[in-house]
Amino acid sequence: MEEENCVEAQGGDLESVNGIRAEEMVCCDLKAGNIESGDVKDGGKECVGADVLCGGVCEESMKYPSCNYGCQKLKSQLPVDSGLLASKEFGEERKLSRQNRIELCRLFQGAMSCQNWELADGLVPLADPQTLNDALCIALDSVWFLCSRSELYAITGLIRKIITSGAYDFTRAVLRTSFLASCVSACQSRTVSLTDTVAVMAQRLHERLQECNGDDVLKAEAGAKVQKFSEWALKCISLHSRCEGNKDRISHHSAVEIQHQLSAFKTFLDLAGDHLTGKDFTEAFDAACFPLTLFSSSFDPGWALGISATAIQGLLGLLVEGGADNVNQCFLEASRFGSTELVSILLQIAHRNSLDVDVDLALGFAAHYCKISTMECLVEEGNAMAFLGPLLRAAERGCLEVVQWFERRGCREMELCLALTAATASSRVEVAGYLLPHVPRHLLTALSVEILKAAGERSYGSLDGVEFLLRSDFLGDPASTYAVADGIAKSEDDSVDPALRDFLREHWSEAAFEDGLRQGREHYLNFVRILRWGESPISMDDIPAPLRVAIAYSPLYRECVQAGGCLLSQRLRGQLVDAMSRLGSRRDLDGMSPFRELLAVLEHHLPRFSLASTPSST
């Protein structure tokens, strides 16, 4: 079964494996497009035959001091004379059997991993065109593990020979190696071991798919393909690492070694020439960026500025020089998913190549998904300055962490006032409560009517935010706050939302205060009627006075406490003022007595047990 999978991955059926298109991949709701279309396309190219290409090859090759025996055995199985083996027309006239192709790829992979250049060179003449394409991919993948100038010359020589012998699938080679190079760079972060990386990538892939829109079945299929290819890349890294003597971690390359690797990749691009189109470079750029989004949570801080990221920076730079035109698209995707280190790398690439990337739009995406570290990067490294839009959207959604971040970064006073209005309209009282102290009082006073009107107009049925502002005494003066509410309640202006006007008339207008006094009087009269003429066998006159007060006014007290804030609605204030007059308070009850003072008078007359059972208002 494994052999059949290998042939499917390496042979003529490969395109059917790779046939998943952008519309079958996860459809992200970014206007700039989605990064996954290229990701899965290249991701599906070798995933089926991953185990054969990368699993168990090194051990088998190392089992024998020389693989010449396997090479001779393979030659003996080919039904062709020695003259045909030496012919330049061999690749065009021959097609290897499935078993021979599997064996040849296995031997070539083992030779490359263990740096048996002589064996690898000797296998090239045995390959048919399709196997040459596979050999080109394997040889190009080895570029990211070379360490010396001699290895550079050996690998580039092999790549040149393979291409000269008839390899032609440059697109598959560049897509596959771009994905692998990205994984190699990411795995050099000290926090990532090869043992844990598969689980890390799988978890991040799952999270990313959950964040995307699209059909669940297609997302599951796309996720499976990407995960298989990711596992193949990590097996390939593990294979080379074991050959280098590291069992669970990839070696860190020096700056000189990375330059050798990039030089080898540049040689391949030069040899490919016009066979690689702008579309190929664009998809390869996608393929290189995708793993970095999956690894983003595992990077050391500042990884993008370190030596480990040099190789991927160089790779992406070469792809841009070749014609990749999706830097901004990948940049926006990376910002959306919080891939801070990739955002940093793409900012550097855009700067070096004089490319425009939309840092302000990227800041909006990062803020929308609450990617704080990415927001920091976009502002500090990308000089993003458009705070207002992301701030307003964060306030509307009630994302307090993002709102706090913008406020601490130094938003203008008017921006904070607009954000307060947005939070109020959306009834995000926690955000409104945070912003209120940060908006200057003079600005609130000047715009108080417009703030309440705008909040009511955009409230979508809930006026909890408006009520919160009023209860918080947002103008810092009860008389002024009540006056603003009363003015809007009495207004006949068509610009005032009818629901807002009705709400203020019923609860926050002077008429509401009078209505509260009336309700208080009616409540008192009803209580007296029960006390004097009720038919209960228990005489109310026999009940202690504090208990009678509790029976009469505990419901009002509880309602006032639960309302909270600095001010009561005019309706409740009217009821409370009437209650104080019945209890013999000598205060100027018609004035603007503070809510807490009025409540304290009522508490003085209530028994302690009724206070203990009432939720605290603080």
Side-chain angles (χ1 to χ4, degrees):
M1 184 65 183
E2 183 182 54
E3 295 175 355
E4 293 178 359
N5 288 342
C6 178
V7 173
E8 290 177 3
Q10 297 170 351
D13 294 334
L14 177 61
E15 293 305 318
S16 64
V17 178
N18 185 38
I20 181 169
R21 305 305 303 169
E23 61 268 25
E24 294 176 339
M25 184 44 187
V26 185
C27 299
C28 297
D29 52 1
L30 283 180
K31 292 181 180 179
N34 66 44
I35 192 173
E36 285 87 349
S37 58
D39 299 335
V40 178
K41 185 183 295 184
D42 75 77
K45 287 181 180 288
E46 291 293 344
C47 61
V48 179
D51 291 340
V52 176
L53 284 175
C54 298
V57 177
C58 186
E59 294 89 342
E60 183 172 333
S61 299
M62 294 177 68
K63 187 180 298 183
Y64 305 101
S66 171
C67 293
N68 289 332
Y69 171 78
C71 182
Q72 294 298 328
K73 180 180 178 182
L74 181 62
K75 284 184 179 181
S76 67
Q77 294 175 352
L78 294 176
V80 62
D81 58 38
S82 58
L84 186 57
L85 282 172
S87 172
K88 294 182 180 179
E89 302 290 327
F90 168 71
E92 300 176 4
E93 298 181 6
R94 291 279 317 148
K95 182 175 181 181
L96 296 179
S97 68
R98 176 181 300 177
Q99 181 59 41
N100 286 337
R101 285 180 54 205
I102 293 171
E103 188 63 26
L104 184 55
C105 285
R106 188 186 299 276
L107 289 170
F108 191 80
Q109 174 71 78
M112 294 300 298
S113 300
C114 299
Q115 300 182 4
N116 190 335
W117 313 124
E118 181 180 358
L119 172 60
D121 186 79
L123 291 171
V124 173
L126 304 179
D128 64 359
Q130 183 57 52
T131 311
L132 285 171
N133 289 331
D134 298 333
L136 177 61
C137 290
I138 294 170
L140 189 57
D141 291 343
S142 301
V143 160
W144 309 111
F145 305 96
L146 65 85
C147 298
S148 66
R149 186 175 294 274
S150 62
E151 294 174 15
L152 166 64
Y153 292 150
I155 292 178
T156 53
L158 272 171
I159 291 174
R160 183 176 286 104
K161 182 173 182 177
I162 292 169
I163 293 174
T164 302
S165 299
Y168 57 85
D169 197 349
F170 300 100
T171 299
R172 177 161 67 105
V174 74
L175 290 177
R176 162 174 155 151
T177 203
S178 297
F179 188 93
L180 178 62
S182 181
C183 292
V184 170
S185 291
C187 284
Q188 289 182 341
S189 172
R190 64 175 176 81
T191 59
V192 178
S193 69
L194 294 175
T195 302
D196 300 331
T197 296
V198 174
V200 170
M201 290 190 72
Q203 178 62 28
R204 281 292 293 142
L205 178 61
H206 174 74
E207 293 171 358
R208 177 163 180 175
L209 290 171
Q210 293 303 310
E211 293 172 355
C212 296
N213 297 326
D215 182 84
D216 289 339
V217 175
L218 293 179
K219 287 199 294 185
E221 292 176 355
K225 289 179 180 291
V226 174
Q227 184 168 347
K228 280 186 177 182
F229 196 48
S230 300
E231 290 174 354
W232 162 80
L234 296 172
K235 286 179 181 179
C236 189
I237 294 171
S238 179
L239 173 64
H240 283 273
S241 298
R242 287 198 298 271
C243 289
E244 293 173 3
N246 296 317
K247 292 184 178 181
D248 194 43
R249 194 175 297 275
I250 188 171
S251 300
H252 288 256
H253 294 125
S254 67
V256 174
E257 292 169 344
I258 291 174
Q259 286 306 313
H260 289 332
Q261 295 167 6
L262 294 174
S263 177
F265 182 67
K266 179 65 165 59
T267 299
F268 163 76
L269 295 180
D270 292 339
L271 291 171
D274 294 338
H275 294 288
L276 287 175
T277 65
K279 180 185 177 190
D280 295 331
F281 282 105
T282 297
E283 292 184 350
F285 197 93
D286 268 343
C289 289
F290 183 68
L292 298 181
T293 66
L294 300 185
F295 279 107
S296 59
S297 61
S298 304
F299 286 131
D300 302 325
W303 174 86
L305 303 176
I307 190 66
S308 297
T310 304
I312 195 62
Q313 289 175 0
L315 169 68
L316 293 175
L318 289 172
L319 294 175
V320 169
E321 292 175 10
D325 60 3
N326 57 335
V327 177
N328 189 55
Q329 174 187 332
C330 292
F331 175 70
L332 295 177
E333 287 285 341
S335 300
R336 170 184 176 172
F337 289 103
S339 304
T340 304
E341 300 303 322
L342 178 57
V343 168
S344 179
I345 289 174
L346 294 178
L347 283 171
Q348 298 172 51
I349 289 173
H351 177 72
R352 291 170 187 167
N353 293 274
S354 300
L355 299 175
D356 292 328
V357 288
D358 197 336
V359 292
D360 291 328
L361 181 58
L363 179 63
F365 284 137
H368 183 81
Y369 291 97
C370 199
K371 308 299 184 181
I372 300 298
S373 62
T374 304
M375 294 164 62
E376 293 278 358
C377 176
L378 289 167
V379 171
E380 295 177 1
E381 299 182 30
N383 299 316
M385 301 177 63
F387 286 7
L388 180 58
L391 172 62
L392 293 181
R393 286 188 288 274
E396 289 172 351
R397 297 192 318 276
C399 188
L400 181 60
E401 184 180 8
V402 172
V403 171
Q404 290 174 328
W405 184 88
F406 277 115
E407 186 275 324
R408 292 164 184 165
R409 296 294 304 193
C411 289
R412 293 189 291 270
E413 294 176 350
M414 191 61 193
E415 291 176 332
L416 294 176
C417 185
L418 292 172
L420 174 63
T421 304
T424 302
S426 302
S427 298
R428 306 295 185 177
V429 295
E430 184 181 15
V431 174
Y434 175 81
L435 288 170
L436 186 57
H438 294 91
V439 180
R441 192 72 65 189
H442 70 86
L443 196 58
L444 290 173
T445 301
L447 299 174
S448 57
V449 174
E450 297 304 320
I451 290 173
L452 293 179
K453 286 170 61 178
E457 182 180 357
R458 293 180 286 170
S459 62
Y460 303 108
S462 173
L463 293 170
D464 291 346
V466 172
E467 185 177 21
F468 171 79
L469 277 190
L470 294 173
R471 286 194 289 104
S472 299
D473 188 17
F474 75 113
L475 296 181
D477 174 57
S480 298
T481 300
Y482 283 134
V484 168
D486 185 64
I488 297 176
K490 293 177 179 178
S491 174
E492 299 298 331
D493 189 347
D494 292 338
S495 64
V496 177
D497 182 73
L500 174 65
R501 184 188 292 112
D502 293 344
F503 170 76
L504 295 178
R505 283 177 179 172
E506 182 179 354
H507 297 283
W508 290 90
S509 64
E510 291 180 2
F513 177 74
E514 296 298 330
D515 188 58
L517 290 175
R518 179 187 60 77
Q519 292 177 10
R521 288 193 297 270
E522 290 180 357
H523 174 75
Y524 177 75
L525 290 175
N526 289 333
F527 181 76
V528 170
R529 292 188 184 104
I530 294 173
L531 185 68
R532 292 181 178 178
W533 298 298
E535 297 181 357
S536 172
I538 302 176
S539 174
M540 297 294 286
D541 289 332
D542 297 335
I543 299 176
L547 189 56
R548 289 200 300 271
V549 173
I551 295 172
Y553 292 114
S554 285
L556 175 62
Y557 176 76
R558 285 194 297 269
E559 187 176 0
C560 291
V561 170
Q562 290 171 358
C566 300
L567 294 183
L568 285 175
S569 69
Q570 289 281 44
R571 182 184 62 80
L572 277 179
R573 193 173 73 88
Q575 294 181 41
L576 190 58
V577 167
D578 181 80
M580 297 304 95
S581 66
R582 307 298 176 185
L583 295 174
S585 173
R586 297 180 180 179
R587 292 181 180 276
D588 180 13
L589 299 177
D590 292 328
M592 291 296 174
S593 300
F595 159 47
R596 295 298 175 191
E597 292 185 15
L598 291 174
L599 206 59
V601 175
L602 182 56
E603 289 175 344
H604 177 72
H605 291 85
L606 291 171
R608 289 183 177 275
F609 73 85
S610 64
L611 300 180
S613 62
T614 304
S616 174
S617 61
T618 57

